[in-house]
Amino acid sequence: MFIQPVLALSLALPSLSTAARLFATHYNGNVYSLELKEDGGKYSLSKTYNQTACGGVGSASSLTADTARGLLWCSGEGTPGALTALQVEQDGKYKEVVKVETPPGGVDSVMYGKDKQYLAIAHYGNSSISLWNIPFKDDQNVKPFDVLEFPKPEKPTDKQPNSKPHQVFLDPTGAFLLSPDLGLDKVHVFKIDQDSGKLTACPDDSQIYYETGSGPRNGVFVTSSGNHTYQRRNMHREWQTKRQTGKTTLYTVEEYGNHVCSFDVTYANGQCPKFKEVNCFIPWPAAKLPNDKTSLSEIHAAGPTLHVAVRKDGKFDGKDSLVTLKPAQEKVKDGDLFSSGGKTPRSFAINKKGDLVAVGNQDSSTVVIIQRDPRTGKLRKEVASLPVGEAPAPDVYGGLSSIVWYE
């Protein structure tokens, strides 16, 4: 079936100073619609709607907001996996309009192409990336137009028996797609064909390799200005590359090695970018995490700072941490740590204004809203918290799996 575009919810809601919409997924199989209200500096967070979607129990793992089409794309990591288009209504309710089967283990997705007409999904449980045309014009026998499969490590271990792509994201030019792979200790780098959506692996000297056992999990680009290499169509509708000045840096976090690593990024003549490692360090006071269960999950950036989620450190009376970093920072002090408001911050997201951070704490199954100074990047205070779904039993995998702003 063809999905008719609807007005983006961000156009229908009042400004963020009054109300905002978020969505969260839970391994109980539900997608939750949440509303954040602000009145005179006081915030309230509430659940407005939920239903089972995205493959059901144990499957719903990530959301990509497609506000231009009035949709959420939900990836399920069951076997088989699922890709579901959820049409969002103005009151935050949604309906499942198309659901298709995917390779197992889908944990992240990103829209790409000049009109965001393609979707890439990272399949952690299937050592692959699948590529899709969106929106679907037919819900019968919809298939990916390509599936990129990755080999096993040369020396498999119990922790890294297979390739494990955990994220897919774009460089600032929109011309390249990257995927951190926990199993292969590398970040895959692909050049995008803007017309067909096909991905071509960049040469080996444009791939990013890590020390054995590092497990890169998540990454983000930061530009020192809005200027960078980008592609556009000329009058003959041929793609050509234009270069402008500006410093671009890639930051990644490792799940196993627990380092934050930074790389200088350079572009030349429309070719694949080159990545030069600047530094790698453990983002914790004394450069050592507090216990062997502690690990990093996500890294995001806005304005002058980066933020890193740290799981199972229990720094704040049993609650875990977000670390705030400045570019080029290599040492962390206690003052750089802020409570995530719950246990095991698997996912977090910064809103467009940069003044609020939403944290999805997996093991406590709480969504926490933290006020942020967009000028300095400093996390200021927790302003709202809400239990969303049930918390899993100790040492049982479950709970909240993702959180996104819908704006």
Side-chain angles (χ1 to χ4, degrees):
M1 63 183 289
F2 178 72
I3 302 173
Q4 293 290 343
V6 299
L7 284 175
L9 186 60
S10 57
L11 298 179
L13 283 172
S15 66
L16 190 59
S17 62
T18 301
R21 179 71 55 194
L22 304 95
F23 289 91
T25 56
H26 193 290
Y27 282 122
N28 64 12
N30 277 255
V31 175
Y32 292 87
S33 179
L34 311 175
E35 185 176 64
L36 178 67
K37 292 183 178 180
E38 184 267 336
D39 184 9
K42 294 184 177 181
Y43 292 82
S44 63
L45 183 64
S46 61
K47 290 179 286 189
T48 59
Y49 185 72
N50 67 277
Q51 71 177 47
T52 301
C54 311
V57 177
S59 184
S61 65
S62 74
L63 294 167
T64 293
D66 186 357
T67 55
R69 299 184 181 99
L71 299 173
L72 287 166
W73 295 99
C74 185
S75 299
E77 61 179 294
T79 302
L83 173 60
T84 307
L86 305 175
Q87 185 169 304
V88 179
E89 308 297 337
Q90 291 187 1
D91 59 1
K93 292 183 179 180
Y94 62 85
K95 60 182 178 181
E96 187 174 287
V97 288
V98 178
K99 175 183 171 183
V100 298
E101 185 177 305
T102 73
V107 293
D108 189 50
S109 66
V110 66
M111 298 182 297
Y112 67 100
K114 58 186 181 295
D115 298 316
K116 304 296 184 186
Q117 72 272 43
Y118 305 113
L119 186 81
I121 305 175
H123 298 277
Y124 179 90
N126 193 53
S127 303
S128 65
I129 295 175
S130 65
L131 307 178
W132 304 78
N133 288 291
I134 58 172
F136 303 136
K137 296 182 179 179
D138 191 309
D139 62 351
Q140 300 297 318
N141 300 315
V142 174
K143 302 289 184 183
F145 65 83
D146 201 2
V147 177
L148 310 177
E149 298 179 339
F150 304 122
K152 289 179 177 290
E154 291 184 3
K155 296 180 179 180
T157 65
D158 290 342
K159 186 178 284 188
Q160 295 172 296
N162 301 298
S163 159
K164 297 179 178 181
H166 201 281
Q167 182 196 19
V168 279
F169 65 107
L170 304 181
D171 82 317
T173 74
F176 302 95
L177 182 143
L178 290 81
S179 180
D181 192 320
L182 280 82
L184 293 182
D185 291 321
K186 71 177 291 187
V187 172
H188 304 278
V189 184
F190 300 94
K191 187 171 185 178
I192 298 169
D193 185 309
Q194 300 288 340
D195 291 313
S196 69
K198 290 277 190 176
L199 302 182
T200 302
C202 285
D204 198 62
D205 62 355
S206 286
Q207 305 293 323
I208 308 172
Y209 295 92
Y210 294 73
E211 291 185 7
T212 300
S214 296
R217 172 187 173 94
N218 198 256
V220 66
F221 282 93
V222 173
T223 57
S224 60
S225 70
N227 300 323
H228 44 248
T229 305
Y230 67 94
Q231 288 193 325
R232 63 181 177 84
R233 286 185 185 274
N234 62 18
M235 62 182 296
H236 303 295
R237 298 186 62 79
E238 297 171 339
W239 284 97
Q240 57 182 198
T241 299
K242 181 176 181 180
R243 184 174 184 181
Q244 293 181 314
T245 59
K247 179 178 175 60
T248 300
T249 307
L250 170 66
Y251 294 87
T252 64
V253 294
E254 303 168 349
E255 179 169 336
Y256 303 145
N258 291 315
H259 292 89
V260 171
C261 294
S262 62
F263 304 84
D264 280 340
V265 187
T266 56
Y267 299 85
N269 301 321
Q271 302 302 307
C272 288
K274 297 293 193 300
F275 301 88
K276 180 181 179 181
E277 183 179 311
V278 178
N279 63 52
C280 288
F281 69 101
I282 295 177
W284 190 262
K288 183 179 180 181
L289 295 181
N291 62 73
D292 58 7
K293 293 184 178 180
T294 305
S295 65
L296 311 182
S297 60
E298 288 192 347
I299 183 168
H300 294 290
T305 56
L306 302 109
H307 304 282
V308 178
V310 184
R311 300 176 292 183
K312 300 185 184 300
D313 62 25
K315 171 73 172 177
F316 298 90
D317 295 325
K319 296 178 180 180
D320 296 331
S321 303
L322 297 181
V323 182
T324 298
L325 303 172
K326 296 179 181 178
Q329 182 175 339
E330 296 184 33
K331 294 183 179 180
V332 172
K333 298 177 292 186
D334 282 337
D336 297 322
L337 275 59
F338 193 92
S339 174
S340 74
K343 295 181 179 180
T344 317
R346 174 185 171 89
S347 174
F348 72 100
I350 305 169
N351 69 348
K352 287 183 178 180
K353 286 181 64 176
D355 64 347
L356 294 171
V357 179
V359 185
N361 289 292
Q362 182 174 2
D363 286 341
S364 57
S365 284
T366 50
V367 172
V368 174
I369 307 298
I370 299 170
Q371 193 174 62
R372 177 182 183 273
D373 186 330
R375 183 180 60 84
T376 65
K378 184 178 178 61
L379 301 181
R380 299 176 61 186
K381 62 179 179 178
E382 179 181 314
V383 295
S385 180
L386 181 71
V388 178
E390 67 279 3
D395 300 320
V396 174
Y397 196 80
L400 281 176
S401 49
S402 72
I403 184 77
V404 296
W405 294 93
Y406 194 83
E407 55 180 350

